[in-house]
Amino acid sequence: MALILGIGVGLFILAVVWTVTILLSIVFFRVDKLRPAAGALILFSALLTLILTLYPREGATPEPADIVVTDETFMGRVVLLAFFSFFTLLSLGLLFVFHWTEPITARPIKLTGY
């Protein structure tokens, strides 16, 4: 059984299908001539969802695994990811506070000859 992050491939297929459906439906609903196509696209996605959920390719019980693969560096990678995420958010916050919110003031005009 093929898994991505512990989740089956079918769930990712459904996520992609519904994401594309929602984006295209928004575009189709804005164009008057394509509104029926948006409804047809939603019905097609619903039909595909029903097919993928009612007719699974594999059994409900997973096959027993003989080899158990463990990741010894998982915790270290999670800590490193949390560290980098924290400082990325901190730097974006500081960029917003000190750069984007800095007021731009007009320079005084120097008048000569009066």
Side-chain angles (χ1 to χ4, degrees), residues 8-35:
V9 178
L11 185 64
F12 285 100
I13 292 172
L14 286 177
V16 169
V17 164
W18 279 104
T19 303
V20 170
T21 299
I22 290 171
L23 291 176
L24 286 178
S25 294
I26 291 170
V27 172
F28 288 170
F29 274 123
R30 299 217 181 247
V31 180
D32 289 332
K33 292 182 181 179
L34 294 177
R35 284 190 186 190

Side-chain angles (χ1 to χ4, degrees), residues 15 20 24 33 68 72 81 88 99 101 103 109 112:
V20 170
L24 286 178
K33 292 182 181 179
V68 177
E72 302 293 332
L81 179 66
T88 300
H99 182 68
T101 59
I109 299 174
T112 58

